[in-house]
Amino acid sequence: MPGAEQTIMVESAFIEFKTKGDGDIINLTSRVSTAVESSGIRDGIICVSATGSTAAITTIEYEPGLKQDMPALMQKLIPAGISYEHDKTWGDGNGYAHLRSALIGTTFSAAIADSALVIGTWQQIVFLDFDNRPRNRRVHVQIVGE
């Protein structure tokens, strides 16, 4: 409506959980959807961000086959079990995890329309844990809109 003043809101939420490491995949879709619904924002954008350098956020169809295919693909592209310069520096053996995180990326964004995420039917937001040990993880959800 011409002349109508609009207020942009920013809401944040955190999602915390434990992972097993070694390619663990966590479906965050329902928790992200809940954050959107709780925000009161009707139309806008959302950014889901992994706070760590050995993890990633992306979308896949969260089903048993792809839950096996994703770690297998990462092993082909950036294998664990070989020496990386990072491992020589820190001695923690997770250089591959940092490279996988950089390849996939640590953020995912999507539109919000009518107070709901705009994602496909078979598209789920997932957290990929590439580290070589179990971890306590935290994901930041930032929602901007009106």
Side-chain angles (χ1 to χ4, degrees):
M1 174 186 273
E5 195 169 311
Q6 296 176 342
T7 302
I8 300 297
M9 298 186 301
V10 178
E11 294 290 329
S12 291
F14 291 94
I15 301 170
E16 295 181 344
F17 50 93
K18 294 179 185 291
T19 63
K20 299 173 193 164
D22 292 321
D24 200 6
I25 301 173
I26 308 294
N27 185 353
L28 299 176
T29 311
S30 65
R31 290 179 264 190
V32 172
S33 291
T34 298
V36 170
E37 293 164 8
S38 299
S39 73
I41 293 174
R42 182 170 163 74
D43 295 296
I45 58 170
I46 186 168
C47 180
V48 182
S49 179
T51 55
S53 62
T54 58
I57 302 284
T58 192
T59 62
I60 60 170
E61 181 179 350
Y62 187 77
E63 54 84 21
L66 285 172
K67 287 171 56 180
Q68 292 180 26
D69 292 339
M70 181 61 83
L73 174 64
M74 290 293 99
Q75 183 61 19
K76 288 177 185 174
L77 294 174
I78 305 172
I82 64 173
S83 180
Y84 292 93
E85 294 302 313
H86 170 82
D87 302 334
K88 294 174 187 174
T89 302
W90 296 105
D92 53 7
N94 70 352
Y96 69 94
H98 292 277
L99 294 172
R100 291 175 182 183
S101 174
L103 178 66
I104 301 296
T106 58
T107 62
F108 170 77
S109 61
I112 299 168
D114 296 323
S115 302
L117 281 171
V118 179
I119 56 175
T121 302
W122 306 113
Q123 185 179 25
Q124 286 83 48
I125 302 168
V126 294
F127 179 95
L128 306 174
D129 187 358
F130 299 125
D131 215 339
N132 57 3
R133 62 186 173 89
R135 303 281 306 259
N136 292 319
R137 295 294 194 165
R138 188 174 202 203
V139 170
H140 182 226
V141 178
Q142 186 86 48
I143 308 158
V144 179
E146 52 187 28

